[in-house]
Amino acid sequence: MKEIINKYKNKIYIFNTLKNKKELFIPINNNLIKMYVCGPSIYKKIHLGNCRTFIFFDIIYRYLLHLKFDIRYIRNLTDYNFKLNYNVDKNYYIYSYDMKKKILKFYKILQLLNLLKPNFEPRVTNYIYEQINNIKKIIKLKYGYNLNKSIYFNIYKYNKNFREYGKILNNIDISYNRNKNNYYKKKNIYDFSIWKNYNYNDLIRWNTEWGKGIPGWHIGCTTMSNKFLGEYFDIHGGGIDLKFPHHECEIIQSNIINNNNNNLAKYWIHTNILTINNKKMSKSLNNYILPYDIIKGRYRITDNININPLIIRLYLIQTHYRNNINFSYNNLRKTINIYYNLLNIFNKIKRIKTQNITSSYINILEIYENCYNSINDDFNIPLLIYNLNKINNIIDECINNVLQINKSDLYKLNKILKYFIIDILGLKKEKNKKSINIKKIINNLLKIRNEMRIKKDYIYSDKIRDIISDYIIINDN
RNA sequence: GGCACCAUGGCCGAGAGGUUAGGCUAAGGUCUGCAAAACCUUAUACAGUAGUUCGAAUCUACUUGGUGUCUCCA
């Protein structure tokens, strides 16, 4: 196994959004990989779109673990937001209690979706001191200026001394379609705040030598990634909507604070968005769907009340991460079959009778090759699922004795399925005790109904059918 | 305008160089206490043009159309 892992760990290709091309992944420090992913802003519950990003990076994390890399994975929590509407009238303890509850709910959802815990999940408000220090550095280097007790980053100076703002990640044309009204009298319209003067109503604020307030959004991520991973690390990830301006600003700040040209991370990975009715699913548009509502059957996707959360997981990864997903219940419903087909492979494989032959008709090496190559090609999960389904077909043929397989090859086949389906895709079979009880009740009702039908008591048998038709479909033939 | 993604039947959707999966829908049938479901049969598609190739839905170039993003966002 070691040989196989070593063979494929040097062949990972990543679409690096920093350069807009696919590149061979070469870690900065041999076997050590440092990865930072922008976590959620905790002010509303996380929806399917948020989950998509976190699940995708969970798969990268799982895969790198599988390849026996030594990996440090950090995902932050932005636990302060203007939209929280906490004001001075409210008690600080209520705020802090609410925040804790919200974070626990976030963890609960990720746990249901079978995400592994990152190595550390720093909360922005725990690192204010470090952020202020970084702001001080920026001011000292004269890249930050004070305007009405807020601190802004001087883009004009940056463009002069480093490289052009807006060209690093997004390559945006900053002359186009931009509101040129400069309300705040900033030196440049692209100057962004690294410290915000407090509003009278804000409950939370910190003291500095230039006044009370809160750090800007971007400085938090720069500071935490620097603190936990150093000034230059391997992978920085997040949703594509963070590409600009958030990540652009993170890079610029880091280049100034550390006085380098590293652009913070070697590889930048951005996941595409999830749309619904061709509009972006977002908290602000209020068109979002919560995973918990699907799991609890509030959208009634099938006749079974509860939906296995891992079906949502599979739904979100079966489209390549750089394509956008247009959410539809229909497709989610179809994923149920795909899910059970995939997991059924483990039951099917037990039915294979091995043959006492020296070489099987199955090319195990080729199967390994296909699976590893698909995930190595910019984490092509749809292709991986396609290849896993191919294995499914092979297993069918083995069961039907069309193909013959020996013991050692069957063992290898079992192994690769376990690696990819369970370890990397993160799917698993779950036993739901509640649903088993419901099943028992329904089965008993069905028995009674059948007895009535034999007696041709159709009035009551139909009544029973109506009652239980909410849970199952009855096929009398 | 920049960047990214997409284009497959009436609708949804797989495909990853080698006879266009599958599902929904429609029509006809089998079955049946009624209903639903299931099963069988039938129907229709690779946006356009050029190129690479023995062979292209798939690779390349261009064109057309669509979506997202460039404002708080995963």
Side-chain angles (χ1 to χ4, degrees):
Chain A
M1 198 53 219
K2 258 189 182 172
E3 286 165 36
I4 289 171
I5 283 173
N6 285 332
K7 185 176 169 191
Y8 292 106
K9 73 194 291 186
N10 301 321
K11 284 185 181 175
I12 305 170
Y13 284 83
I14 295 180
F15 188 90
N16 187 357
T17 31
L18 189 65
K19 294 175 183 166
N20 257 334
K21 63 176 183 196
K22 228 183 255 182
E23 290 182 329
L24 181 65
F25 176 64
I26 305 165
I28 299 166
N29 292 311
N30 299 321
N31 207 46
L32 175 67
I33 296 179
K34 297 174 179 176
M35 176 162 85
Y36 184 92
V37 173
C38 284
S41 284
I42 308 286
Y43 71 97
K44 276 187 183 175
K45 292 169 186 170
I46 61 156
H47 56 70
L48 284 181
N50 305 123
C51 293
R52 180 188 190 184
T53 300
F54 302 139
I55 292 171
F56 173 68
F57 285 102
D58 181 60
I59 285 179
I60 294 187
Y61 181 45
R62 283 164 173 273
Y63 184 54
L64 296 177
L65 284 174
H66 169 76
L67 292 181
K68 307 266 186 253
F69 278 108
D70 183 9
I71 171 161
R72 267 200 194 184
Y73 174 28
I74 306 284
R75 187 184 58 216
N76 75 295
L77 291 160
T78 304
D79 58 344
Y80 182 78
N81 193 300
F82 282 120
K83 290 175 184 173
L84 276 169
N85 286 331
Y86 286 105
N87 55 41
V88 266
D89 303 331
K90 283 206 180 174
N91 189 310
Y92 179 79
Y93 293 103
I94 294 174
Y95 155 77
S96 133
Y97 176 74
D98 275 7
M99 188 51 78
K100 205 170 180 184
K101 243 168 68 179
K102 283 189 166 100
I103 290 173
L104 286 176
K105 272 185 186 165
F106 168 69
Y107 286 157
K108 178 77 189 163
I109 291 291
L110 295 196
Q111 192 199 340
L112 283 171
L113 294 168
N114 201 19
L115 273 82
L116 300 178
K117 279 283 216 190
N119 297 104
F120 191 51
E121 293 171 85
R123 287 172 62 166
V124 178
T125 54
N126 287 343
Y127 301 95
I128 299 294
Y129 173 76
E130 286 85 344
Q131 291 175 63
I132 292 172
N133 266 351
N134 275 336
I135 295 167
K136 278 183 187 165
K137 258 188 205 171
I138 294 173
I139 295 172
K140 205 176 173 187
L141 293 164
K142 299 195 171 146
Y143 280 92
Y145 61 89
N146 190 323
L147 186 70
N148 298 331
K149 293 182 178 172
S150 288
I151 310 292
Y152 288 90
F153 191 97
N154 190 337
I155 290 299
Y156 174 76
K157 186 167 180 188
Y158 183 85
N159 282 348
K160 227 168 117 185
N161 293 347
F162 275 77
R163 64 178 66 129
E164 218 178 325
Y165 169 78
K167 296 286 180 202
I168 302 165
L169 277 176
N170 219 26
N171 208 10
I172 64 156
D173 181 357
I174 54 175
S175 62
Y176 180 77
N177 198 18
R178 184 81 187 199
N179 183 5
K180 299 225 164 135
N181 292 331
N182 194 348
Y183 295 114
Y184 306 109
K185 292 178 181 160
K186 292 185 286 188
K187 289 184 181 172
N188 182 310
I189 46 165
Y190 285 95
D191 290 354
F192 56 92
S193 65
I194 49 180
W195 182 266
K196 286 176 184 164
N197 188 15
Y198 79 106
N199 281 320
Y200 177 74
N201 279 332
D202 288 341
L203 172 64
I204 308 229
R205 56 201 183 208
W206 289 271
N207 281 321
T208 63
E209 56 196 55
W210 56 83
K212 289 175 183 173
I214 60 161
W217 176 35
H218 316 303
I219 196 79
C221 280
T222 305
T223 304
M224 285 183 289
S225 59
N226 274 199
K227 183 175 170 70
F228 296 107
L229 300 177
E231 59 184 61
Y232 186 48
F233 51 93
D234 299 282
I235 298 170
H236 192 307
I240 201 166
D241 46 0
L242 295 186
K243 211 170 157 193
F244 185 87
H246 181 55
H247 289 160
E248 186 93 13
C249 296
E250 266 189 60
I251 287 175
I252 286 168
Q253 290 169 151
S254 172
N255 284 351
I256 295 303
I257 291 166
N258 300 311
N259 190 26
N260 62 25
N261 238 334
N262 286 340
N263 298 330
L264 196 55
K266 194 172 178 188
Y267 302 91
W268 287 76
I269 302 176
H270 289 102
T271 53
N272 213 322
I273 52 160
L274 183 85
T275 56
I276 181 160
N277 296 325
N278 287 327
K279 285 269 170 282
K280 183 185 169 189
M281 186 180 287
S282 77
K283 291 172 189 169
S284 47
L285 286 175
N286 243 11
N287 61 351
Y288 55 86
I289 288 170
L290 302 177
Y292 204 66
D293 286 344
I294 293 177
I295 294 164
K296 282 290 159 198
R298 290 186 193 128
Y299 293 104
R300 212 138 207 286
I301 284 144
T302 61
D303 294 325
N304 295 315
I305 295 168
N306 293 322
I307 294 260
N308 185 337
L310 299 179
I311 290 165
I312 301 174
R313 183 180 170 104
L314 181 62
Y315 174 74
L316 293 173
I317 59 174
Q318 65 179 341
T319 301
H320 192 265
Y321 77 94
R322 284 191 288 128
N323 289 0
N324 63 309
I325 304 173
N326 192 17
F327 179 81
S328 81
Y329 292 111
N330 215 5
N331 291 344
L332 182 61
R333 201 172 294 126
K334 281 171 191 165
T335 309
I336 297 171
N337 288 337
I338 299 171
Y339 179 81
Y340 288 111
N341 282 342
L342 268 179
L343 284 165
N344 239 336
I345 302 182
F346 293 105
N347 291 332
K348 276 198 208 163
I349 204 162
K350 289 179 195 156
R351 290 167 51 200
I352 296 177
K353 284 174 193 157
T354 51
Q355 307 289 327
N356 222 346
I357 44 175
T358 43
S359 62
S360 301
Y361 293 87
I362 292 149
N363 192 340
I364 293 286
L365 265 181
E366 194 188 314
I367 292 171
Y368 270 76
E369 187 104 333
N370 286 341
C371 288
Y372 279 99
N373 280 345
S374 45
I375 195 162
N376 270 352
D377 181 14
D378 196 25
F379 308 103
N380 197 334
I381 305 300
L383 184 56
L384 174 65
I385 293 171
Y386 166 79
N387 280 315
L388 291 171
N389 276 321
K390 266 188 174 171
I391 300 178
N392 199 357
N393 292 340
I394 290 171
I395 287 170
D396 278 340
E397 288 181 319
C398 288
I399 291 173
N400 297 327
N401 274 328
V402 178
L403 283 174
Q404 295 190 320
I405 187 167
N406 61 28
K407 231 179 185 176
S408 93
D409 280 355
L410 186 69
Y411 175 79
K412 285 176 191 161
L413 212 57
N414 220 333
K415 235 178 176 174
I416 192 156
L417 288 169
K418 191 197 155 279
Y419 285 151
F420 282 94
I421 297 176
I422 309 289
D423 296 350
I424 295 165
L425 294 183
L427 307 179
K428 62 180 178 190
K429 274 198 170 170
E430 278 191 342
K431 280 182 185 170
N432 191 335
K433 281 181 185 172
K434 273 185 189 170
S435 70
I436 289 170
N437 288 337
I438 289 171
K439 263 185 194 167
K440 271 188 183 170
I441 295 165
I442 289 174
N443 278 337
N444 285 334
L445 278 171
L446 276 176
K447 276 180 196 163
I448 297 168
R449 177 171 174 269
N450 281 337
E451 281 171 21
M452 286 175 160
R453 289 182 71 239
I454 291 164
K455 290 177 189 167
K456 302 215 168 183
D457 181 357
Y458 294 120
I459 296 167
Y460 283 99
S461 69
D462 284 358
K463 270 191 182 170
I464 292 174
R465 182 178 66 195
D466 290 345
I467 291 165
I468 56 182
S469 66
D470 277 351
Y471 304 100
I472 59 162
I473 297 157
I474 297 170
N475 180 355
D476 280 337
N477 293 322

